[in-house]
Amino acid sequence: MMNKYISTLICAALPLSVAVQAAQTAADPTLVWDATADFTVIDAGQVPYYVDQRNDALGIDARKLDYRNMYAQAWREFDGETGLYDITITVLTEEDGEPNYRLMHNGKAIKIYRASYIGPGSKQDLKPETHTWHRVALSKGDKIGIESMAKTNRQIPEGEGTAWARGRWQQLEFKLSANQGPERASFDRSNDLLLAQFDSKPDADDIHTIAALGSLLAAPQFSDIKSYAVAGTVGVQQGQYINPNPLLKLAFAAENKGWTDAKQDWQASVKRTAKQVSSVLAKGGKVWVQEAGQSDFTYDWLQLLAAQGVDAALIKTNVIVIQHSAWNEQKSTASKLDYVKANTDYRAIEDGNKPKRKFDRNNRRGPLTPMFVDQDTKWLAAATSPNNSKAKARELWQTAEQIVAQSNFGKGDHKAKYSSIPAGGVDFSDLVETWWTLELNHQANSVHAFWDNYVTDVALDVVNAPAGRLAVVADGNSPDPDDIGATPIMFAMLQKAKLSDRLVHLSHSCDLDPSQNKGKQQIDAVSEVTRQQVLDELSGKSIEYFGPFKNLRDYYNCRTQQQQATQDLVDAIDASTADDPLWIIEAGEPDLIGYALQQANPKAIPHVHVVSHHPANDDSGYFFTWQQILDFGVTEHQIGDQNVGLQTPMSDWDWAENHELPGIAYIWEMLAYAERDGMVDFQTNKFDCSDAGMVYWWITGADQGGNNNATPQDIKRLLPL
């Protein structure tokens, strides 16, 4: 009975529907929607479309002033079969502007494209141009739409102003993607099981991981997660076994019901685990194995499932083994690990012991994960504090501390110099497997974010800025618009922290020669000028909303005021002393900083700190290398990629939209402006103020414990609400 039943489930669980398979074998599975004939609604946006009969396109009547810089939207229901599609839009290039086009899915913008710049008098004016968005998941009945916005590039005189492009487009084409398989499944809370397996030998990181997982599962938003845990899933490693059972009782309830002890009775635990797994598979669910140990135990229960007749294809599809540690793999019996890899959906991910840096691809074993390791003692202090109202988490971490202390981990013969735990720090690196499984993403991108969301409500950050003054050198002009949102946030944070008088220099557009930009996505000359104007306007507005900044002489456009900007920074450097150093926030290319250091008093330079978060800035100088900046004798601070916590879904900033304080509402407007900019596709559906993370780090202590993993929630707590 089980074989027949499970075989039926295999067919039901296949990621590609029979209908889609049939469509793929058809002579022409492509769907083409004409903009003027096939869209049932063309007035669903902020402004309506009109039918441009001459160009067979939908467009926006930009002659009406109220229709400019506003989105029009057309939509209709998708009548194709469910599947993954490559969607191609045909737009018309326009000499007077480069409109944004957004693909809408059930009311949400999911993709963006910006039309090419062709310039005045081009023969390409009003000629078709195509762009394809790949592997978009669609279901029959979905609401699919296109939004576009009228734009001007200020190059075509018209009346008392300039002509505007009308956001014209002609058609959408839907073609089934060649690969219909999902890149990865998502955890289904109604059917799936989280199976957490811990070795606890010889490292105490499993103890911290159990406490962290228990804290997570105790959070109200995860109360419906089905879980089961196993202790003692060891392989061939030597060393001390640290008994986690008191902690497992707290985190997973009764033994043999919510968890099992494989150290005490391996075979009985294999049977119990196999029973849990087969029950989930029989109901069409998936089993997500947090392999926080070796794969020998997994091999044994897989063998038992095979002996019981569970279909191998079902196991391959619906048992997902997540392994973060190459060491765990090395300490597994080789033949058993090979079997697990071959017979399950095996996922190797990064190990959770190093910073999550999207730009660093060296020796990467799989998907990037957060760093869930930190030597600071404040984490355990905040978790176990009597002021922590998260009672379950508090008890879990108190118990974890007791277990580690009783084990003498890191003491005597157990030096464990590799671990942060003996010195009072935390290491729950195994939990990155659950982070990946539940797709926690930015909600838990660091120890700080995890603690803040799931472990404690004790304050983790305080205003504790170091001595000295602050200088901000930003780009924002080419090609990434992140400084547009970051700049007003920096001003707002300094105001709230009562540090406004510390800001002594602000310059923007420090990308002095964008024609040499090494990035894949470039910016045209007209858009470059527009960006500079926006940055100049928002600098003034930010000072108006969050000032006064009495020691800020002025703000400068480095492209048009390079000499003045350089001299202002030279003056700030020359005023530096041991008691009053200068902290330069490198929120862009290093060249202006290099020119200023070159002209500054060499005796003052040892009292200058340069703060960076990304080599995209450090390595992009046209006139100074990063090493040349350091060779001047400054103190370098590399605080890690701030995009990890501050390039987030737009919804993380909903609290700022239409805020009663005009300065906070303005922050949302600038974040939204940058998202709609359309020049770089990696900002689509994201608000990005990543450079502001460096100022947050400085405000909260800089190199003496400052938070280098800020999130919008952290900023919200600091801003003047």
Side-chain angles (χ1 to χ4, degrees):
M1 291 297 292
M2 180 177 290
N3 278 331
K4 181 178 180 181
Y5 178 54
I6 291 179
S7 295
T8 302
L9 285 174
I10 295 171
C11 296
L14 288 175
L16 186 61
S17 71
V18 174
V20 171
Q21 288 176 321
Q24 284 183 298
T25 61
D28 184 10
T30 302
L31 297 175
V32 178
W33 291 353
D34 183 85
T36 61
D38 294 331
F39 280 80
T40 55
V41 178
I42 64 172
D43 59 354
Q46 298 166 308
V47 297
Y49 278 122
Y50 76 95
V51 176
D52 182 348
Q53 299 285 2
R54 177 183 299 178
N55 294 295
D56 187 27
L58 292 181
I60 301 165
D61 188 356
R63 295 172 301 177
K64 299 180 179 180
L65 299 183
D66 291 344
Y67 285 11
R68 297 175 176 180
N69 284 321
M70 303 289 280
Y71 275 111
Q73 182 186 130
W75 69 268
R76 59 166 288 181
E77 285 192 358
F78 183 66
D79 54 359
E81 298 297 336
T82 296
L84 296 173
Y85 285 83
D86 297 333
I87 303 176
T88 300
I89 186 172
T90 302
V91 307
L92 294 180
T93 54
E94 304 184 60
E95 65 176 355
D96 35 17
E98 299 74 51
N100 294 335
Y101 297 87
R102 304 203 300 187
L103 177 65
M104 308 296 292
H105 179 256
N106 293 330
K108 179 180 179 182
I110 59 170
K111 301 287 184 179
I112 193 168
Y113 174 64
R114 179 169 174 161
S116 298
Y117 171 76
I118 58 172
S122 172
K123 294 181 180 180
Q124 291 300 115
D125 187 37
L126 297 178
K127 292 294 190 294
E129 176 179 74
T130 62
H131 176 77
T132 301
W133 296 299
H134 295 280
R135 286 177 56 81
V136 179
L138 300 180
S139 297
K140 182 175 285 190
D142 281 351
K143 181 178 175 181
I144 305 300
I146 289 293
E147 283 190 341
S148 64
M149 177 185 289
K151 287 275 192 176
T152 181
N153 54 25
R154 297 182 173 88
Q155 289 198 333
I156 310 294
E158 185 176 88
E160 297 181 358
T162 58
W164 286 65
R166 299 194 175 198
R168 295 176 174 96
W169 61 281
Q170 294 181 315
Q171 72 173 34
L172 279 185
E173 177 186 284
F174 301 82
K175 187 172 184 178
L176 282 164
S177 302
N179 177 14
Q180 288 291 310
E183 295 181 0
R184 60 156 291 179
S186 291
F187 189 92
D188 181 355
R189 298 189 186 197
S190 61
N191 295 308
D192 293 356
L193 174 71
L194 175 62
L195 176 57
Q197 301 183 163
F198 304 98
D199 61 349
S200 299
K201 180 182 179 180
D203 197 347
D205 62 342
D206 285 59
I207 304 303
H208 280 197
T209 300
I210 295 169
L213 180 55
S215 301
L216 180 77
L217 296 176
Q221 61 267 46
F222 297 110
S223 60
D224 58 345
I225 296 287
K226 300 177 182 67
S227 62
Y228 192 76
V230 186
T233 59
V234 298
V236 299
Q237 75 267 42
Q238 302 298 311
Q240 177 192 16
Y241 178 75
I242 304 175
N243 186 354
N245 290 6
L247 202 54
L248 289 168
K249 291 177 183 177
L250 282 174
F252 297 97
E255 184 176 1
N256 300 334
K257 183 177 180 181
W259 62 281
T260 186
D261 185 353
K263 174 68 173 175
Q264 181 68 28
D265 193 333
W266 184 280
Q267 291 304 322
S269 293
V270 167
K271 292 178 182 178
R272 293 185 189 107
T273 304
K275 183 177 180 180
Q276 292 281 335
V277 172
S278 62
S279 175
V280 172
L281 296 180
K283 296 175 182 176
K286 295 181 184 293
V287 177
W288 302 73
V289 184
Q290 179 183 318
E291 195 82 290
Q294 291 66 51
S295 291
D296 294 48
F297 184 80
T298 303
Y299 169 86
D300 281 1
W301 60 254
L302 286 172
Q303 288 287 298
L304 181 55
L305 290 179
Q308 293 173 346
V310 179
D311 194 284
L314 182 63
I315 293 173
K316 180 67 176 177
T317 302
N318 283 18
V319 174
I320 303 152
V321 177
I322 307 99
Q323 177 58 268
H324 81 294
S325 171
W327 187 88
N328 282 345
E329 292 176 333
Q330 293 163 7
K331 297 302 179 181
S332 299
T333 301
S335 60
K336 295 182 178 181
L337 175 62
D338 289 343
Y339 180 89
V340 172
K341 286 183 174 181
N343 291 279
T344 68
D345 184 354
Y346 189 91
R347 304 291 181 126
I349 64 175
E350 280 289 81
D351 69 7
N353 287 285
K354 55 188 177 184
K356 181 183 180 186
R357 292 177 176 168
K358 300 176 183 178
F359 54 82
D360 185 1
R361 300 183 179 274
N362 295 327
N363 302 314
R364 187 183 295 179
R365 62 179 262 119
L368 280 171
T369 61
M371 182 177 179
F372 282 162
V373 178
D374 199 296
Q375 296 183 351
D376 203 311
T377 60
K378 73 178 182 181
W379 308 114
L380 287 176
T384 60
S385 168
N387 296 323
N388 179 13
S389 68
K390 296 182 179 180
K392 183 66 174 289
R394 183 177 69 242
E395 186 178 7
L396 283 163
W397 285 98
Q398 289 171 341
T399 303
E401 280 197 307
Q402 293 168 4
I403 291 174
V404 172
Q406 291 167 3
S407 72
N408 288 319
F409 178 72
K411 300 176 182 177
D413 295 333
H414 311 288
K415 295 296 183 185
K417 294 180 180 179
Y418 58 85
S419 176
S420 62
I421 293 176
V426 294
D427 180 350
F428 54 106
S429 49
D430 290 306
L431 198 78
V432 296
E433 295 166 1
T434 299
W435 175 89
W436 184 87
T437 295
L438 299 181
E439 299 177 84
L440 298 180
N441 300 320
H442 63 285
Q443 299 171 49
N445 59 57
S446 64
V447 175
H448 189 288
F450 189 88
W451 241 242
D452 209 28
N453 283 320
Y454 311 120
V455 176
T456 186
D457 51 11
V458 173
L460 297 170
D461 292 338
V462 295
V463 174
N464 187 31
R469 295 153 298 125
L470 193 67
V472 176
V473 179
D475 53 4
N477 53 327
S478 179
D480 192 348
D482 56 340
D483 293 273
I484 291 174
T487 300
I489 291 173
M490 293 182 195
F491 280 110
M493 292 192 300
L494 290 171
Q495 181 202 54
K496 177 61 177 178
K498 299 181 179 178
L499 296 168
S500 301
D501 61 338
R502 303 278 203 98
L503 184 64
V504 297
H505 173 86
L506 173 67
S507 55
H508 65 77
S509 304
C510 69
D511 189 356
L512 300 182
D513 189 356
S515 66
Q516 299 186 43
N517 188 283
K518 304 179 182 69
K520 294 180 180 179
Q521 302 188 58
Q522 303 295 320
I523 188 169
D524 60 77
V526 175
S527 297
E528 171 76 26
V529 172
T530 300
R531 283 266 190 89
Q532 293 173 44
Q533 293 172 340
V534 170
L535 287 159
D536 216 56
E537 292 170 5
L538 71 86
S539 295
K541 276 283 190 182
S542 298
I543 292 171
E544 177 184 330
Y545 281 126
F546 303 111
F549 295 86
K550 62 182 182 181
N551 291 320
L552 188 66
R553 184 184 298 162
D554 205 343
Y555 53 91
Y556 305 91
N557 179 343
C558 298
R559 295 290 303 285
T560 61
Q561 301 171 291
Q562 182 178 335
Q563 183 176 350
Q564 298 97 311
T566 302
Q567 187 58 55
D568 191 63
L569 188 55
V570 168
D571 293 344
I573 294 170
D574 286 350
S576 302
T577 65
D579 294 330
D580 189 19
L582 180 68
W583 298 76
I584 302 176
I585 303 298
E586 188 216 18
E589 289 68 20
D591 291 327
L592 188 90
I593 298 172
Y595 282 126
L597 290 169
Q598 195 175 59
Q599 299 174 36
N601 182 351
K603 294 182 179 179
I605 292 177
H607 309 302
V608 173
H609 301 255
V610 180
V611 184
S612 174
H613 83 106
H614 208 294
N617 291 334
D618 306 340
D619 300 336
S620 60
Y622 313 123
F623 309 104
F624 291 87
T625 66
W626 186 242
Q627 189 57 52
Q628 287 175 310
I629 299 295
L630 301 182
D631 288 345
F632 282 110
V634 301
T635 299
E636 176 191 27
H637 300 274
Q638 291 286 348
I639 73 168
D641 186 359
Q642 296 301 293
N643 289 284
V644 172
L646 291 174
Q647 186 193 63
T648 67
M650 296 163 62
S651 58
D652 279 17
W653 290 91
D654 284 352
W655 53 271
E657 186 177 8
N658 300 318
H659 198 278
E660 61 182 8
L661 293 176
I664 303 301
Y666 183 71
I667 285 173
W668 189 93
E669 291 172 14
M670 291 300 96
L671 289 166
Y673 180 95
E675 189 276 333
R676 290 194 295 260
D677 178 85
M679 182 54 62
V680 291
D681 57 20
F682 54 79
Q683 297 293 18
T684 304
N685 287 327
K686 298 186 179 83
F687 279 178
D688 185 348
C689 63
S690 49
D691 286 321
M694 291 183 283
V695 174
Y696 188 90
W697 170 81
W698 183 80
I699 288 173
T700 57
D703 56 337
Q704 300 301 310
N707 178 7
N708 66 341
N709 286 288
T711 65
Q713 291 73 29
D714 295 325
I715 291 174
K716 179 182 179 182
R717 281 189 287 265
L718 182 60
L719 289 184
L721 300 181

